[in-house]
Amino acid sequence: MGNTVSCCVSPGGSPKITRQPDRIEDYQVNTDLSEDTGPYLQHISDREVPDDLALESNPSDHARPSTIFLSKSQTDVRDKRKSNHINHVSPGPLSKKYSSCSTIFIDDSTVSQPNLKSTIKCVTLAIYYHIKNRDSDRSLDIFDEKMHPLSREQVPDDYSRIDPEHKLIYRFVRTLFSAAQLTAECAIVTLVYLERLLTYAEMDICPCNWKRIVLGAILLASKVWDDQAVWNVDYCQILKDITVEDMNEMERHFLELLQFNINVPASVYAKYYFDLRSLADDNNLSFPLEPLSKERAQKLEAISRLCEDKYKDLSKAAIRRSFSADNLVGIRRSQAVIS
């Protein structure tokens, strides 16, 4: 999936970055290897936390636990429903379209090809709830906008006390995605990295650091997901006043805080996509619906058949490449004829 990070970890110490590269694949990790025992390659499972703890605290690594943003948003959703019930507030006319026997409404957003505009709205709404319902204001200096401003405009004195509106977050993310021509899938991976950072580093996204954290997550997600990655210097063309050295330093810290774990399993990606759909339903963010026409039904059927054929070919190739003794049970062999 795009560019990946390759590193070797020694049991004696943490990786040391020799320089500040401009892209992820340029990272060079040095380790002290013993001449007597030879190189020691620690398996990734040895560096992971136990399953019980991982399932409880790392929803960005496993598909079973619920996403953090969805749980944080439920407080506001319950309060809003309770207030409407107590005050007898009418929900008003239904704006959502529902399918019937004669008409089926579908949207153009799928887990493999999400709608870009709707996905960005949902992702920024998730970030909004992260900031609004945060537990505290734990942060790091590298993400503090006062210490590392993104523009030459003076940062207000109350920058750390006023929560940003959802529109402000959406405008910031939309500008980056539009200028860098990033995809909707990249937005979902951005949210995965953001929640993974908050979990691993035990910090909060708050008014003083949300812009730099979101920028770091987008920077990393664009390099991991897209084959034609955007260089750090390209982001400096979008944010005119930020330096490439600052981008490199922030990216290096982001990777270190993630413990260089940039892998996003398909099950985790799918979980975040459907939780974002649930978030949209709870907040009346409707995806664009259109009646299912005959031409579109034929197109969907053709795409489905194409995917089925593709996965069948991949599974056959995987069996040929990874043939093991476990598969020998079901194989018929002709008996030898001894004369």
Side-chain angles (χ1 to χ4, degrees):
M1 183 173 63
N3 303 323
T4 57
V5 174
S6 176
C7 64
C8 299
V9 182
S10 66
S14 59
K16 298 180 180 179
I17 305 299
T18 57
R19 60 191 177 92
Q20 297 178 6
D22 190 52
R23 298 191 62 172
I24 290 182
E25 66 268 25
D26 294 334
Y27 279 102
Q28 180 70 31
V29 181
N30 290 340
T31 55
D32 298 329
L33 303 178
S34 173
E35 297 180 357
D36 298 333
T37 59
Y40 175 81
L41 299 179
Q42 187 182 28
H43 195 272
I44 187 172
S45 61
D46 298 332
R47 293 186 283 119
E48 293 177 344
V49 295
D51 290 343
D52 295 339
L53 180 59
L55 290 174
E56 179 182 356
S57 60
N58 295 337
S60 60
D61 291 330
H62 303 271
R64 284 176 55 187
S66 177
T67 53
I68 302 176
F69 71 84
L70 192 61
S71 60
K72 286 184 176 295
S73 67
Q74 293 306 306
T75 303
D76 287 36
V77 172
R78 287 192 298 266
D79 291 344
K80 183 178 180 180
R81 290 175 179 174
K82 183 178 179 180
S83 176
N84 291 341
H85 176 72
I86 294 175
N87 298 323
H88 303 284
V89 177
S90 174
L94 296 177
S95 58
K96 185 177 180 180
K97 300 178 180 179
Y98 292 90
S99 301
S100 63
C101 296
S102 59
T103 306
I104 298 177
F105 291 98
I106 62 173
D107 58 60
D108 62 347
S109 181
T110 62
V111 67
S112 59
Q113 292 182 339
N115 179 273
L116 177 60
K117 184 177 180 180
S118 300
T119 302
I120 293 179
K121 281 186 177 180
C122 293
V123 169
T124 52
L125 185 61
I127 297 172
Y128 167 78
Y129 278 120
H130 262 292
I131 300 174
K132 181 180 180 181
N133 298 327
R134 64 189 183 277
D135 298 327
S136 60
D137 292 317
R138 297 170 298 179
S139 184
L140 296 174
D141 293 343
I142 187 63
F143 300 116
D144 195 310
E145 193 175 351
K146 186 76 171 181
M147 303 179 66
H148 303 275
L150 297 178
S151 65
R152 296 180 182 178
E153 298 180 2
Q154 186 176 1
V155 179
D157 296 333
D158 56 353
Y159 78 106
S160 61
R161 297 191 299 270
I162 300 179
D163 293 347
E165 297 280 343
H166 175 225
K167 292 182 179 180
L168 178 62
I169 303 174
Y170 172 73
R171 195 179 303 118
F172 177 77
V173 175
R174 184 192 61 185
T175 300
L176 292 176
F177 270 72
S178 177
Q181 298 182 356
L182 302 179
T183 61
E185 298 90 338
C186 185
I188 298 177
V189 177
T190 295
L191 185 59
V192 175
Y193 287 158
L194 188 146
E195 292 205 341
R196 187 173 294 176
L197 174 73
L198 302 183
T199 303
Y200 282 23
E202 297 182 351
M203 57 182 295
D204 302 280
I205 182 169
C206 48
C208 69
N209 62 14
W210 73 268
K211 282 187 178 181
R212 290 182 62 85
I213 288 180
V214 171
L215 176 61
I218 293 175
L219 172 68
L220 190 58
S222 65
K223 291 184 176 182
V224 174
W225 182 263
D226 294 333
D227 292 330
Q228 299 293 332
V230 183
W231 290 61
N232 291 4
V233 67
D234 296 329
Y235 285 98
C236 296
Q237 300 298 323
I238 303 173
L239 303 170
K240 302 294 185 180
D241 300 325
I242 194 171
T243 63
V244 68
E245 291 79 14
D246 186 18
M247 296 284 290
N248 294 340
E249 183 74 7
M250 182 174 60
E251 181 184 12
R252 182 176 69 85
H253 277 80
F254 208 109
L255 276 168
E256 289 178 347
L257 292 171
L258 290 186
Q259 302 174 22
F260 295 91
N261 179 16
I262 59 173
N263 179 50
V264 179
S267 57
V268 172
Y269 173 90
K271 176 186 66 174
Y272 272 77
Y273 169 79
F274 288 111
D275 280 1
L276 286 171
R277 295 290 301 245
S278 300
L279 183 69
D281 290 337
D282 293 338
N283 292 269
N284 298 323
L285 290 179
S286 59
F287 284 68
L289 298 176
E290 294 181 1
L292 179 62
S293 60
K294 181 179 179 181
E295 293 77 11
R296 192 168 188 185
Q298 293 175 345
K299 182 179 179 181
L300 290 174
E301 185 178 2
I303 294 175
S304 177
R305 290 177 179 175
L306 182 63
C307 291
E308 288 181 0
D309 296 339
K310 179 180 178 181
Y311 289 135
K312 286 180 181 178
D313 296 339
L314 290 175
S315 61
K316 291 179 181 179
I319 293 176
R320 288 196 299 268
R321 288 196 304 266
S322 58
F323 208 78
S324 64
D326 297 334
N327 303 105
L328 296 178
V329 179
I331 298 179
R332 299 178 61 184
R333 300 292 186 186
S334 60
Q335 296 181 354
V337 178
I338 302 176
S339 57

